[in-house]
Amino acid sequence: MGKKRRTGKKEGVLLTILVLFCTFLTGCAFLDIKDGGLGMTNPDYVEPEEESTTSDHTESPDLGEFQKEGTTSWLTEAGKAALVEEQEWLRDYGAAFGASFLGYTPDYSFPGKEYQRAETYPYLDGIPEDHIIEYTGDEWYVIVPAEDGWKISIESCSWNDDFTESRTEDLLWESDDGLPLILQCNLSDLYSNVQVTARKGSREVSWHPYYLTYAGEIEPTDGVKQLLSGSYMPEEGYLYGMEGSWYCDSAKTDAGEPYFYSVTFMTGEDGYPLDMWYYGGLLDGEMEDIRFFWDGNYAYGDPLGESLEFWLNTPDGTRSGTIWLELDGECLTIHEMEGEAFFPFTSGSVEKFYLHPVAAAGENYDYSSNEIDVLLAQSEVQERLELGMAIRDVDGMDTIRGEACVLFALGTEHPDQFVAEYYYAVSSSGLVYRMDDLTGEWEPI
């Protein structure tokens, strides 16, 4: 028999070694960093990249910083500078916040007053809606905290029967960001329907918004000051360099009753439009029965100033439109053009007016036949007319301090009679007097 080859055993050993070697190599492929912390790693393993939502792998911005910056982004450079000055002024006087009266209007847009408001309070330019608090009333105020950290709260309030004590009710708004805010409030000129409170640490300051018409400023209290921006008396406008008022006595109502209008276009020292005063009523001979008194603003509608856009504040809201002017010497013809009627109480759309001039600064002027315009320039008279009172001429004249004066009565119109409540006298030199109810003496305003 031939001999068997002995290679089978050797081949089996080699096969076994080869299998073990392959198993070892294959096993290494599974012993990677995911292997349960056995301390064995695969040097060829590469951590897979996580999917990114951005192709350039840029870092995302800090949204918190953007939101923080956004709270003041509406302030212009001029607004920031004015706000810094305003707050320094308040801190110098130890005030918690300051306030100013912006005007009477049902709408904060203040048609026609944007330019003046931006000039006086540049930090209100672009103020966001969440810093405009609208509550019941037609008075508007700007409020500025003295610095960050003062928490400003605005709450509605009510009063007892004799208006000596108030109590707060609903929280309307609250913030401690130290930024200006706008507040609409007050149905009555006699008492406020909101309370503004500032709190910081142990200190607390409360104030009920109230406007002193005769002073042209807010009524201050401890810790609350009139804002620097609004703490000056005007040096232009009505009776300060304007040309005069325009008077129409030829209008008639639909029933044929004689009617009059008086309108004054006030300009600033630069000659640009400022404010407008407008009043009128029934005529009985030379007696004027004043039925309305409005204030407002106007702007030139064309480069020549022949058309005017007007905005008038009335008890029913803002009346606006466009009028066309034709000037011929001291005669002014006013045409209604677009929008709401400029002559709402008569049937005509075109009326002729004549100039009632006033004195230039420093001149000694005779106000004879123009005394009613002088009287209507008084803030206390304006306030009482807004409350619904009426003005009547009083027969006869009186001599006060050597001057002949025209007499007027201010009171309430009833269906069967007129009840006089205040008496005024106006001299030909433009001085205005009020009668003291107790003594009957004339005292200058």
Side-chain angles (χ1 to χ4, degrees):
M1 290 181 64
K3 295 182 180 178
K4 290 183 178 180
R5 294 183 54 192
R6 300 183 62 184
T7 55
K9 185 175 182 180
K10 292 180 180 180
E11 289 176 357
V13 172
L14 289 174
L15 181 61
T16 301
I17 293 172
L18 180 61
V19 170
L20 289 174
F21 181 70
C22 291
T23 303
F24 175 78
L25 291 178
T26 307
C28 288
F30 296 101
L31 296 174
D32 56 19
I33 57 174
K34 300 176 182 178
D35 189 24
L38 298 178
M40 302 175 66
T41 61
N42 180 3
D44 297 322
Y45 174 79
V46 177
E47 181 75 29
E49 293 186 5
E50 294 183 6
E51 292 184 3
S52 174
T53 56
T54 57
S55 59
D56 56 359
H57 304 288
T58 56
E59 294 183 0
S60 59
D62 184 343
L63 295 179
E65 287 300 316
F66 273 79
Q67 290 167 353
K68 182 178 180 182
E69 177 66 23
T71 61
T72 58
S73 61
W74 54 273
L75 286 170
T76 63
E77 290 303 316
K80 291 177 183 178
L83 182 59
V84 167
E85 181 182 9
E86 198 81 84
Q87 292 180 324
E88 286 179 352
W89 154 268
L90 294 172
R91 290 194 296 271
D92 286 345
Y93 284 88
F97 63 90
S100 278
F101 178 68
L102 291 176
Y104 296 99
T105 177
D107 181 4
Y108 173 66
S109 62
F110 284 95
K113 287 192 175 181
E114 290 88 348
Y115 174 78
Q116 293 94 326
R117 188 175 65 243
E119 284 289 301
T120 306
Y121 308 100
Y123 44 78
L124 296 183
D125 187 18
I127 187 168
E129 291 186 1
D130 61 1
H131 278 65
I132 301 177
I133 300 90
E134 299 182 55
Y135 190 56
T136 309
D138 60 2
E139 294 182 2
W140 290 82
Y141 295 85
V142 50
I143 297 172
V144 178
E147 59 187 350
D148 293 350
W150 282 103
K151 177 176 284 187
I152 306 296
S153 303
I154 299 176
E155 299 166 285
S156 61
C157 69
S158 59
W159 296 77
N160 59 5
D161 292 339
D162 56 3
F163 301 108
T164 56
E165 295 182 1
S166 67
R167 70 171 181 274
T168 57
E169 296 175 336
D170 298 327
L171 178 65
L172 306 175
W173 187 85
E174 191 172 54
S175 178
D176 60 357
D177 60 14
L179 296 175
L181 61 112
I182 298 296
L183 172 63
Q184 175 190 14
C185 59
N186 294 357
L187 277 170
S188 169
D189 290 330
L190 302 178
Y191 64 93
S192 178
N193 60 1
V194 299
Q195 176 176 296
V196 182
T197 304
R199 298 179 178 88
K200 185 178 182 181
S202 60
R203 190 180 177 196
E204 181 175 307
V205 174
S206 294
W207 175 66
H208 294 97
Y210 187 76
Y211 176 60
L212 301 172
T213 308
Y214 65 87
E217 295 187 348
I218 64 164
E219 183 176 48
T221 187
D222 289 341
V224 181
K225 292 285 293 182
Q226 168 73 31
L227 290 174
L228 176 65
S229 300
S231 61
Y232 62 89
M233 295 299 289
E235 295 181 356
E236 67 278 327
Y238 190 70
L239 298 183
Y240 288 92
M242 64 166 234
E243 293 78 10
S245 60
W246 295 91
Y247 190 83
C248 170
D249 59 4
S250 57
K252 293 186 181 298
T253 66
D254 291 338
E257 299 172 292
Y259 207 88
F260 78 95
Y261 290 105
S262 179
V263 59
T264 303
F265 303 109
M266 293 165 273
T267 60
E269 292 179 338
D270 55 6
Y272 286 101
L274 193 65
D275 297 317
M276 178 190 295
W277 289 43
Y278 190 35
Y279 69 93
L282 294 170
L283 275 176
D284 183 6
E286 295 185 355
M287 293 281 290
E288 294 180 347
D289 180 3
I290 297 177
R291 294 300 179 93
F292 76 94
F293 183 89
W294 299 337
D295 68 343
N297 307 91
Y298 69 102
Y300 294 144
D302 64 273
L304 298 178
E306 294 179 344
S307 69
L308 301 181
E309 297 178 21
F310 66 87
W311 299 267
L312 293 166
N313 298 315
T314 80
D316 298 323
T318 302
R319 174 177 290 270
S320 62
T322 303
I323 54 177
W324 184 266
L325 309 182
E326 284 186 283
L327 182 61
D328 182 11
E330 294 188 354
C331 177
L332 177 70
T333 304
I334 300 180
H335 304 254
E336 292 178 352
M337 298 293 291
E338 297 177 345
E340 295 176 282
F342 192 70
F343 308 114
F345 302 105
T346 54
S347 55
S349 60
V350 180
E351 300 292 352
K352 289 187 179 294
F353 288 72
Y354 297 91
L355 181 66
H356 278 195
V358 295
E363 289 186 8
N364 184 14
Y365 183 76
D366 183 2
Y367 286 88
S368 299
S369 77
N370 199 33
E371 292 88 354
I372 184 66
D373 291 322
V374 177
L375 181 61
L376 288 172
Q378 308 305 312
S379 57
E380 67 177 59
V381 175
Q382 300 166 26
E383 182 178 3
R384 288 164 181 163
L385 287 173
E386 289 171 357
L387 293 174
M389 290 188 175
I391 289 180
R392 296 285 183 275
D393 292 327
V394 175
D395 291 338
M397 300 182 71
D398 199 352
T399 301
I400 305 173
R401 298 185 180 183
E403 289 188 290
C405 297
V406 177
L407 307 182
F408 299 91
L410 185 63
T412 304
E413 187 73 64
H414 295 283
D416 54 346
Q417 64 176 338
F418 172 78
V419 179
E421 299 177 47
Y422 304 94
Y423 288 94
Y424 294 91
V426 182
S427 72
S428 58
S429 64
L431 295 176
V432 182
Y433 302 88
R434 181 199 313 107
M435 179 179 285
D436 188 309
D437 293 337
L438 298 178
T439 65
E441 300 292 326
W442 293 104
E443 56 184 20
I445 294 180

